[in-house]
Amino acid sequence: MKTLAVRQITLAAIVGALYVTMSYFSNIFGLSYGYIQCRFSEALTVLPFLCPSTTWGLFVGCIITNILSPYGAMDLIFGSLATLLAGLLTARCKNKWLAPLPPVLCNGLIIGGMISFQEVGFTSAFPAAFAFNACTVAVGEAIACYVLGMLLLEALTRSRILPERKALGAE
């Protein structure tokens, strides 16, 4: 049983390292921060569907990535918590087609709200700013999760290399 725990920790660490590397790579193209955030690393947020322990690797990877965020401590806290919440919800999904939905919704709402707050505060302009930012962040997240993430899920499902594969009865 200890071997499985070591595998889970190792896999979470690998996923965290991949998340950081892929996020910084996305930043080269200006995709990691801003209105439309299409981080390549967000494709990894579907992994908790197959292997729930990867949630913690994603969380730590997001913390490390957000150290360089132009949104400062708010992104470090709320951005990382959005990824943690999305991972925990994705791990509970029963259908692989719904696995990308928690990251899209969590990031759209939480990051969209955070960006809006930093832009206009809680003024009368907040609802409009929130609607715009939530939608644009969700669009970038949907591209990363539903296109790249689903390709990743399909490849990993077929390869059967994950140590903690869930039963995929709802394929």
Side-chain angles (χ1 to χ4, degrees):
M1 199 51 114
K2 289 186 184 235
T3 308
L4 186 59
V6 170
R7 285 184 182 173
Q8 290 172 332
I9 293 168
T10 303
L11 183 59
I14 291 169
V15 167
L18 279 172
Y19 187 95
V20 172
T21 303
M22 292 170 72
S23 293
Y24 289 157
F25 183 71
S26 297
N27 199 33
I28 292 171
F29 301 105
L31 299 172
S32 288
Y33 308 101
Y35 296 115
I36 297 182
Q37 301 181 7
C38 189
R39 291 180 180 176
F40 303 135
S41 57
E42 288 297 310
L44 299 174
T45 60
V46 299
L47 290 178
F49 175 75
L50 294 176
C51 188
S53 65
T54 59
T55 298
W56 300 104
L58 292 168
F59 177 57
V60 172
C62 191
I63 289 171
I64 295 168
T65 297
N66 286 340
I67 289 171
L68 296 181
S69 172
Y71 298 105
M74 282 186 73
D75 198 17
L76 190 63
I77 296 165
F78 293 108
S80 302
L81 289 175
T83 298
L84 177 61
L85 179 61
L88 294 171
L89 293 174
T90 300
R92 299 181 64 92
C93 285
K94 301 294 183 206
N95 183 314
K96 76 176 179 179
W97 296 104
L98 294 177
L101 192 57
V104 171
L105 293 176
C106 289
N107 281 290
L109 295 173
I110 295 170
I111 303 305
M114 181 202 68
I115 292 172
S116 301
F117 176 76
Q118 289 210 331
E119 286 178 343
V120 297
F122 285 125
T123 64
S124 60
F126 182 81
F130 175 71
F132 173 77
N133 289 318
C135 288
T136 58
V137 171
V139 165
E141 191 75 15
I143 291 167
C145 294
Y146 273 101
V147 176
L148 300 174
M150 289 306 292
L151 288 171
L152 179 63
L153 264 185
E154 189 61 32
L156 289 174
T157 300
R158 290 177 187 229
S159 71
R160 300 178 181 252
I161 60 171
L162 290 177
E164 162 185 353
R165 271 187 84 233
K166 280 185 177 179
L168 298 175
E171 289 187 295

